[in-house]
Amino acid sequence: MPLFNKKRRVQYLGFDDFWYCTLGILALSVITNYLFNTSFEQKSWELALISWSVALVFTICDWLSIRSILIYLRIKFPDFKDDKKRIGILLLGIVGTIVLVDFLVGWLASSLINLLTDYNASHITRLKELLPITIITVMVMAIYEVIYSYARLKKSIREEEQTKQVMIQAQLDTLRNQAQPHFLFNSLNTLRDIIDQDTKEDAKDFVDNLAGVYRFIIESGNTNLIRLGEELKFAKAYIHVQSERFGENLQLHWNIPKEQHTAMIVPMSIQLLLENAIKHNVVSKTKPLIITVAGEGDTVVVRNRIQPKSTQTPSTKIGLKNIEKRYQLISNKMPMIHTDDGHFTVTLPLLKKAEQNATHENSNR
């Protein structure tokens, strides 16, 4: 029963009402006895005690009976759309319970007093007494209803947030899984060029190194954020693979302070930018591709000179959009992309877990 089971009291009432119920019954019994009896004005403490005891029995019966009706209606009508019906039935239940309890308990109390004492007690139901008792009872039950509505609202908001987190996590998983085939697509294009231009041994070395990079991707797990130090290891491993093909024609300048290595960043973001730079620009002895990866404040800036190829490699147009979308889902900070003075620059924000959107902070599982 909810009366004795704390878990069920919280479930149906929105809070543990043990003390509210206990103190409320005591307070109301004293108030109603004071309002509707004159025993406190008399010298007889025996009469005052009997009168208060009767008021206490009335209050206990009213409170617990109406509370049971309230719980029953919440079980039967749990949806928000049924609130008006439930509250309407509850009001009728309050009136009916007060009248019934007043008649039955009043008759029983009068009989017991006449049997056990010398007093000649009788009980008459009076509207002027029942009306204020009904109003007080409605106010008490209104407190129950307010607390219950607040608890349900909190639960509804929490469930909505959890649903959003599930949806966002699904989007992030899709984007993360999208980035890996993008990397494979570009790597296969590079392998094709190596097969066309270099020896079989060069192609074999490239495949071996590529396998090492993919091992790193698998071992990095499925997180939505990764430490910058880990992302740099992956990016440098990728450049090591590309150096097998381009040699000194591909030059990377790394300038990331050690204190930034513990900051968080979207996985594969730097690698995707390096991949795009190599894919869309000439990398040759006469035009070496110089890429700078530098830490500036709370960002990482990836910058390269624009050296467009005469024949463009087929593009999936996934890389930059993928990075932007993942940042959008995880935080309020977005990458900045701009072209100036013949250079292409992308600025990636570094994040802290506390800076994640409140809606998405639990998505990084």
Side-chain angles (χ1 to χ4, degrees), residues 240-258:
H240 179 73
V241 170
Q242 296 300 323
S243 296
E244 295 287 332
R245 177 186 177 193
F246 296 108
E248 294 182 358
N249 298 333
L250 176 62
Q251 300 177 23
L252 265 290
H253 295 167
W254 305 93
N255 186 18
I256 306 289
K258 279 284 186 184

Side-chain angles (χ1 to χ4, degrees), residues 153-283:
L153 181 61
K154 279 178 61 178
K155 182 182 178 183
S156 176
I157 292 172
R158 185 167 60 249
E159 289 174 349
E160 184 179 351
E161 293 298 320
Q162 290 171 349
T163 302
K164 286 181 181 178
Q165 288 172 9
V166 170
M167 293 175 64
I168 289 166
Q169 185 62 42
Q171 292 180 59
L172 286 167
D173 289 343
T174 300
L175 290 167
R176 188 171 53 244
N177 294 333
Q178 186 186 64
Q180 294 177 13
H182 177 265
F183 170 67
L184 179 60
F185 174 82
N186 289 335
S187 298
L188 290 176
N189 281 330
T190 302
L191 179 59
R192 182 195 62 189
D193 293 340
I194 292 176
I195 292 171
D196 289 340
Q197 300 172 17
D198 300 318
T199 66
K200 288 184 178 180
E201 289 300 318
D202 291 332
K204 287 172 63 179
D205 289 341
F206 180 85
V207 170
D208 289 341
N209 288 322
L210 184 62
V213 172
Y214 255 102
R215 188 182 304 113
F216 187 92
I217 292 175
I218 293 171
E219 290 174 353
S220 65
N222 295 319
T223 57
N224 300 320
L225 287 176
I226 192 173
R227 291 186 185 276
L228 177 58
E230 294 298 313
E231 174 67 13
L232 289 174
K233 285 181 184 178
F234 174 51
K236 289 177 181 179
Y238 169 75
I239 289 301
H240 179 73
V241 170
Q242 296 300 323
S243 296
E244 295 287 332
R245 177 186 177 193
F246 296 108
E248 294 182 358
N249 298 333
L250 176 62
Q251 300 177 23
L252 265 290
H253 295 167
W254 305 93
N255 186 18
I256 306 289
K258 279 284 186 184
E259 56 268 21
Q260 285 189 330
H261 284 204
T262 56
M264 309 300 284
I265 195 168
V266 169
M268 295 184 69
S269 53
I270 295 177
Q271 181 273 330
L272 278 171
L273 295 178
L274 299 177
E275 188 176 338
N276 277 356
I278 294 169
K279 178 180 176 181
H280 296 294
N281 292 280
V282 173
V283 186

Side-chain angles (χ1 to χ4, degrees), residues 228 257 259-260 263-265 294-301 327 333-334 336 347-352 355:
L228 177 58
E259 56 268 21
Q260 285 189 330
M264 309 300 284
I265 195 168
E296 297 182 5
D298 58 352
T299 65
V300 171
V301 179
Y327 265 101
K333 296 182 177 181
M334 291 292 292
M336 293 185 292
T347 303
L348 299 174
L350 294 177
L351 304 175
K352 298 177 182 177
E355 292 174 330

